[in-house]
Amino acid sequence: MHSLKRLRITNAGVLQLLKHAVNSALVGSDSNVFSRSQQPFQLFCRSAALHHNRQQHHQAVNDLDQTECRNSLISGMDLLFYTITEGKEMISVSQFVSALKSTGLWTSDPRLRDCMRHLRLAMRESGGTVMVDQKLFRKCVGANILLLTQAFRRKFIIPDFEVFASNMDQLYYSTQRQEGGHVADYIPQLAKFSPNLWGVSLCTVDGQRHSAGDTKVPFCLQSCVKPLEYAIAVHEIGTEHVHRYVGKEPSGLNSLHSVNTKLLQHKNTVLKGFPSSSSLQPNSNKAERFDYVMEYLKKMAGTEYVGFSNATFQSEKETGDRNFAIGYYLKEKKCFPENADMIAALDFYFQLCSIEVTCESGCVMAATLANGGICPITGERVLSAEAVRNTLSLMHSCGMYDFSGQFAFHVGLPAKSGVSGAVLLVVPNIMGIMCWSPPLDRVGNSVRGIHFCQELVSLFNFHNYDNLRHFARKLDPRRLSFDDRNKSVVNLMFAAYSGDVSALRRFALLAVDMEEKDYDSRTGLHVASAEAVFQHFFITAYIALSIRWGNTPLDDARQFGRDGVVSVLTEYQQMYLCSNGSQSKTEDQRKLDSEGCGLS
């Protein structure tokens, strides 16, 4: 590392050449391995002219300056390809898709639209089985290289997504055994759903997704639409205007108990659909207002399903006597904006409650709230940060009817329930979750949904007030298990010993420190030099040539009689270290110069 710093200061051109050498070595084929019987191979077969003379060397450096970005992109893409294929020259489409899903990315992700389109086109053209080789891979992932590299380097919010998904499945099946509750029947259309339906979907702020159970069955949002409608209203007309008519205190399921002439404006939070809906697009007709909100909800859900159940809408209107009673009482107390049509607002409220989603689309909506108003699978900003903050605050204190205080205490996360059996749960800055199971408890919350949320924060440190540093009994899925230094050192040394090129590429893509040392300061380059299973990869990674017991890797290669390795190391020293001969050298560098370069 010291040599790298010196190169950065004294010779920028050499450092750029070094970077190019790293990329070239990373994408080398498996044949770039020395066995005990092999002769040294040419270091840069694509750039052999670099070895002829100093003048041509500097010219090549200048050429590399001009194409550094292009070469880095190509090399990074090849590195990603070999990491996904585990060193193979081609894999099947199903294996490629499985590799994507292991990171949490779905083929329906809008960000991968071009990638999937190229794969489908290739399958149609071939008329049979399609193998993904480097050419097809470049064509498919060219526009998604940054996203996929981030995914396979485990840089998403949930780095080890397969393990996390497995834990979520266990929570799902344990919750499935929960019984009790009754399906809501005061709205006839809701009573038609089976009490056995149970689904959970999640979407992280990076767009990683997982589903279990009945996640494709449409159901109505019911009260889960209220925080979404509130967020849209704050985003469009501002917090101050909205809270002239919408309170901040919880009112419970039966809001008539909390309505009185003195505290009316501060106790109608659960029924904020009335005044909020009347504030949206006041000069528009009913159809335009509904389309306006639907467009927002579709943006929040990315490209996932958002529909409308006219049967539920009609059923709500026919059985909405309590809502009509509350609406007239609110009108009497002048809780609606001036010139607002209470009947039209109530009709609009019934429409919004009848909007349909699935668990898979609902979790993306929740993830948009978790992501500060930006849809994680499209990257589009839908809501302002202020609107999201206010919405999550109200969901935390008012979202679960008369169970809101208990939920905030035990679960500690913003959530909103609906009488359809839905629970919209937000883990801020991490993920959104949609649970759905029709049977409700006595206060109108999903029995399975509540149990799942409680078990979730019992297993993971997602509670808002969990200590992330000292509470070791809970799992933290945000931490990468591969960060265990001892494990990474052992894996790196074993890969160097066995010449496992695929493993080395995978470690590089995962941003493993390739200069890790074991207990006696031995690096992977020492192991590779001594065993003669030698890689270009290590030469560039260890240009500093770490010392072990006073020996460099070159010393180890000579000690074990690895003539081919000695030749390669010497050539690299001549290319990089000797180019700075005019600069002051450390004792170790002078030792290398005298032994390998033969120059002062």
Side-chain angles (χ1 to χ4, degrees):
M1 187 60 65
H2 175 77
S3 297
L4 281 175
K5 292 179 180 178
R6 192 163 65 86
L7 282 174
R8 186 179 295 112
I9 296 173
T10 60
N11 196 327
V14 173
L15 181 60
Q16 290 172 353
L17 180 60
L18 173 60
K19 292 179 180 178
H20 177 70
V22 173
N23 290 330
S24 300
L26 290 176
V27 300
S29 65
D30 288 1
S31 61
N32 292 343
V33 180
F34 268 22
S35 68
R36 290 170 172 80
S37 60
Q38 286 178 319
Q39 296 299 317
F41 51 84
Q42 188 66 36
L43 291 177
F44 292 102
C45 57
R46 299 177 185 173
S47 308
L50 292 176
H51 301 281
H52 293 327
N53 54 61
R54 182 74 62 178
Q55 181 178 2
Q56 291 178 344
H57 168 77
H58 287 299
Q59 180 62 42
V61 169
N62 293 333
D63 293 340
L64 288 170
D65 289 342
Q66 300 174 5
T67 61
E68 182 178 6
C69 293
R70 179 175 58 85
N71 289 338
S72 298
L73 180 61
I74 295 175
S75 299
M77 193 175 298
D78 288 344
L79 171 60
L80 180 62
F81 172 78
Y82 282 115
T83 301
I84 294 175
T85 63
E86 297 183 349
K88 300 176 182 177
E89 292 300 325
M90 60 179 63
I91 57 173
S92 65
V93 173
S94 61
Q95 289 175 311
F96 176 68
V97 172
S98 296
L100 282 179
K101 290 184 177 180
S102 69
T103 67
L105 296 177
W106 284 10
T107 56
S108 60
D109 193 312
R111 297 170 294 179
L112 298 176
R113 184 180 293 111
D114 289 341
C115 178
M116 294 300 110
R117 179 174 58 83
H118 284 298
L119 281 179
R120 286 191 292 268
L121 180 61
M123 294 175 68
R124 283 198 300 266
E125 290 177 349
S126 67
T129 303
V130 175
M131 301 299 290
V132 180
D133 57 10
Q134 287 196 52
K135 181 179 180 180
L136 179 58
F137 182 80
R138 290 193 185 98
K139 183 185 298 184
C140 291
V141 308
N144 305 115
I145 181 65
L146 297 180
L147 173 68
L148 295 181
T149 299
Q150 186 181 21
F152 285 97
R153 289 188 69 176
R154 300 183 183 182
K155 296 299 183 180
F156 283 161
I157 189 68
I158 306 293
D160 201 343
F161 194 76
E162 285 187 301
V163 173
F164 177 73
S166 177
N167 288 328
M168 294 296 288
D169 285 340
Q170 293 179 22
L171 290 180
Y172 168 83
Y173 288 114
S174 65
T175 304
Q176 191 175 34
R177 295 191 292 268
Q178 291 292 311
E179 297 180 355
H182 301 280
V183 179
D185 56 5
Y186 73 93
I187 300 175
Q189 197 66 22
L190 297 181
K192 296 181 179 180
F193 285 95
S194 168
N196 297 321
L197 292 170
W198 167 228
V200 176
S201 291
L202 68 91
C203 178
T204 72
V205 294
D206 288 315
Q208 299 166 283
R209 303 175 65 185
H210 180 69
S211 291
D214 304 305
T215 58
K216 296 184 181 295
V217 180
F219 57 88
C220 291
L221 281 170
Q222 291 298 321
S223 291
C224 288
V225 80
K226 294 172 185 175
L228 307 180
E229 177 190 353
Y230 168 82
I232 296 171
V234 172
H235 175 73
E236 285 293 327
I237 59 182
T239 302
E240 182 179 355
H241 180 81
V242 170
H243 282 285
R244 293 177 187 173
Y245 310 101
V246 176
K248 304 180 182 70
E249 300 297 329
S251 59
L253 184 62
N254 190 351
S255 299
L256 285 175
H257 288 307
S258 64
V259 176
N260 56 65
T261 56
K262 184 178 180 180
L263 299 176
L264 184 62
Q265 294 187 356
H266 303 283
K267 292 288 188 177
N268 62 352
T269 302
V270 166
L271 290 179
K272 61 179 170 285
F274 288 130
S276 292
S277 60
S278 61
S279 300
L280 289 172
Q281 298 289 293
N283 299 321
S284 303
N285 58 40
K286 293 181 181 179
E288 292 172 340
R289 190 178 299 178
F290 179 76
D291 287 342
Y292 176 80
V293 175
M294 280 291 284
E295 283 303 312
Y296 262 101
L297 296 181
K298 289 179 179 178
K299 289 178 181 178
M300 293 182 68
T303 58
E304 298 299 319
Y305 173 78
V306 179
F308 177 73
S309 172
N310 186 62
T312 304
F313 169 60
Q314 297 298 332
S315 184
E316 288 235 30
K317 288 182 63 176
E318 294 171 359
T319 59
D321 294 337
R322 175 178 293 177
N323 288 323
F324 277 104
I326 295 174
Y328 277 109
Y329 192 64
L330 293 174
K331 181 180 179 181
E332 178 192 359
K333 300 301 178 181
K334 303 185 185 303
C335 289
F336 286 91
E338 188 177 356
N339 300 323
D341 186 340
M342 188 275 294
I343 298 297
L346 190 57
D347 194 65
F348 186 38
Y349 169 74
F350 289 146
Q351 284 182 312
L352 297 183
C353 288
S354 302
I355 290 176
E356 281 188 335
V357 297
T358 64
C359 286
E360 293 179 0
S361 58
C363 75
V364 181
M365 292 178 172
T368 299
L369 295 178
N371 199 32
I374 299 175
C375 180
I377 64 174
T378 63
E380 179 182 5
R381 174 166 288 283
V382 184
L383 301 169
S384 66
E386 178 188 7
V388 171
R389 182 198 63 196
N390 294 349
T391 300
L392 296 181
S393 297
L394 286 179
M395 289 173 67
H396 183 76
S397 63
C398 312
M400 303 301 288
Y401 300 128
D402 286 335
F403 193 68
S404 294
Q406 293 278 358
F407 193 88
F409 182 84
H410 292 289
V411 178
L413 292 172
K416 185 68 188 83
S417 64
V419 294
S420 61
V423 176
L424 187 78
L425 181 70
V426 178
V427 187
N429 304 307
I430 300 177
M431 70 180 69
I433 299 175
M434 176 64 89
C435 309
W436 177 59
S437 179
L440 309 178
D441 59 21
R442 60 179 182 82
V443 296
N445 296 319
S446 170
V447 173
R448 293 192 181 102
I450 294 293
H451 182 80
F452 179 87
C453 294
Q454 292 173 336
E455 291 299 309
L456 179 73
V457 296
S458 295
L459 180 62
F460 300 108
N461 57 355
F462 286 160
H463 192 292
N464 266 334
Y465 304 109
D466 276 338
N467 190 291
L468 301 182
R469 297 183 62 186
H470 307 298
F471 198 66
R473 288 188 297 171
K474 291 186 179 182
L475 301 178
D476 188 351
R478 291 160 289 191
R479 292 185 178 180
L480 185 62
S481 60
F482 197 80
D483 282 343
D484 185 346
R485 182 183 178 278
N486 293 331
K487 181 180 177 180
S488 66
V489 169
V490 170
N491 290 336
L492 183 61
M493 295 297 177
F494 186 79
Y497 173 82
S498 58
D500 189 343
V501 182
S502 299
L504 295 176
R505 290 180 179 131
R506 185 165 61 253
F507 295 154
L509 188 67
L510 294 175
V512 172
D513 183 3
M514 304 305 291
E515 295 187 15
E516 286 278 16
K517 301 176 183 179
D518 64 8
Y519 61 92
D520 62 0
S521 299
R522 181 174 53 183
T523 65
L525 185 56
H526 285 93
V527 175
S529 299
E531 296 298 325
V533 284
F534 194 67
Q535 279 289 325
H536 286 155
F537 184 86
F538 282 112
I539 304 173
T540 54
Y542 298 110
I543 194 66
L545 298 178
S546 304
I547 303 301
R548 179 217 182 196
W549 297 341
N551 291 337
T552 67
L554 180 59
D555 295 328
D556 284 355
R558 286 174 173 161
Q559 179 179 351
F560 288 93
R562 313 304 185 192
D563 295 337
V565 176
V566 171
S567 176
V568 174
L569 282 176
T570 302
E571 190 167 2
Y572 265 84
Q573 291 172 15
Q574 291 172 343
M575 289 178 59
Y576 298 115
L577 298 181
C578 296
S579 62
N580 292 282
S582 60
Q583 304 294 328
S584 62
K585 297 180 175 61
T586 66
E587 180 181 352
D588 295 329
Q589 290 169 334
R590 284 193 294 271
K591 178 180 180 181
L592 292 174
D593 287 344
S594 63
E595 293 183 353
C597 300
L599 299 176
S600 57

